[in-house]
Amino acid sequence: MRTRRRTPAELDEEGLVRLVAKGDRAAFEELYRRTAPWLAVRLRRRCADEQIVAEVMQETYLAVWRAASAFAGAAVGGSAVGWLWTIAARRLVDAFRRRAHHARLPEAVAEQGGAAGAVAPAAEDEVLAGSVGGEVGDALGALAPELRDVLRAMVLDGLTVRETSVLLGVPEGTVKTRARRARRAMREALS
């Protein structure tokens, strides 16, 4: 007896990515239908610029279509939505870098000679500062960038240690150590 092939609507996200890897457009459309609203909300939490969010969404799903066969999934402890978010988060960082690269100094600063030695804050840090204010925002701003990146990924974005490791390109042990150091520093700053 032959088993009936499950429709994309009956599959979980991992199953959909597996079908997308085989070029299944219906699976891709179902994956997009399920994940795009959620992904857009998460991106908007990190970026208020709708144009950037739209570009990142487009780039993310294009990458999913092209690289679905690279998805390792549960075999390495990952999830399809975690993989999707990792792609989107990287695309968002790339967009921030492009924007920062093309940004010009304000005229007042340029007239003063560019404030020698001054470094403009990263676009990601500006977004984080805008979403978390007060004492907590000040404490976050005082953290070393590598600690802030781990907190941002794990707390604000809700990524697992493994997903944070993939996103930041560091070993899982390093993620755990940085998370512990960041929490300790935050407790000290807020006490």
Side-chain angles (χ1 to χ4, degrees):
M1 178 169 228
R2 192 170 186 191
T3 60
R4 179 180 70 84
R5 182 177 181 256
R6 293 168 60 187
T7 66
E10 297 172 321
L11 296 172
D12 63 3
E13 286 80 5
E14 184 167 342
L16 292 172
V17 172
R18 301 259 180 249
L19 286 179
V20 170
K22 296 176 182 176
D24 188 321
R25 285 180 118 24
F28 180 77
E29 289 169 5
E30 179 65 17
L31 181 67
Y32 181 86
R33 186 192 65 72
R34 285 188 202 175
T35 60
W38 161 86
L39 185 60
V41 168
R42 288 187 89 173
L43 288 169
R44 285 185 191 109
R45 283 195 327 205
R46 293 188 74 182
C47 179
D49 187 327
E50 283 297 322
Q51 182 178 0
I52 290 176
V53 169
E55 289 172 11
V56 168
M57 292 283 291
Q58 183 175 13
E59 290 173 11
T60 298
Y61 284 101
L62 181 60
V64 167
W65 178 255
R66 290 180 175 166
S69 61
F71 172 65
V76 295
S79 68
V81 293
W83 178 69
L84 188 70
W85 173 245
T86 300
I87 293 170
R90 287 181 177 166
R91 296 301 186 275
L92 183 60
V93 169
D94 291 344
F96 285 149
R97 287 182 180 145
R98 281 192 305 269
R99 182 176 70 179
H101 178 72
H102 295 296
R104 296 180 177 198
L105 289 174
E107 288 184 32
V109 174
E111 289 171 6
Q112 296 172 1
V119 177
E124 298 95 320
D125 295 331
E126 290 178 17
V127 171
L128 184 60
S131 64
V132 180
E135 291 180 33
V136 175
D138 293 342
L140 276 170
L143 287 177
E146 65 273 9
L147 301 181
R148 195 170 42 245
D149 290 345
V150 167
L151 272 187
R152 183 182 297 128
M154 293 181 76
V155 176
L156 293 180
D157 298 330
L159 297 180
T160 65
V161 169
R162 179 178 298 277
E163 293 164 344
T164 300
S165 170
V166 171
L167 175 66
L168 300 177
V170 297
E172 289 181 39
T174 302
V175 170
K176 292 175 185 177
T177 301
R178 289 179 182 175
R180 214 173 14 260
R181 286 178 47 209
R183 286 188 202 103
R184 188 176 322 123
M186 289 294 290
R187 272 194 301 274
E188 290 172 10
L190 295 172
S191 61

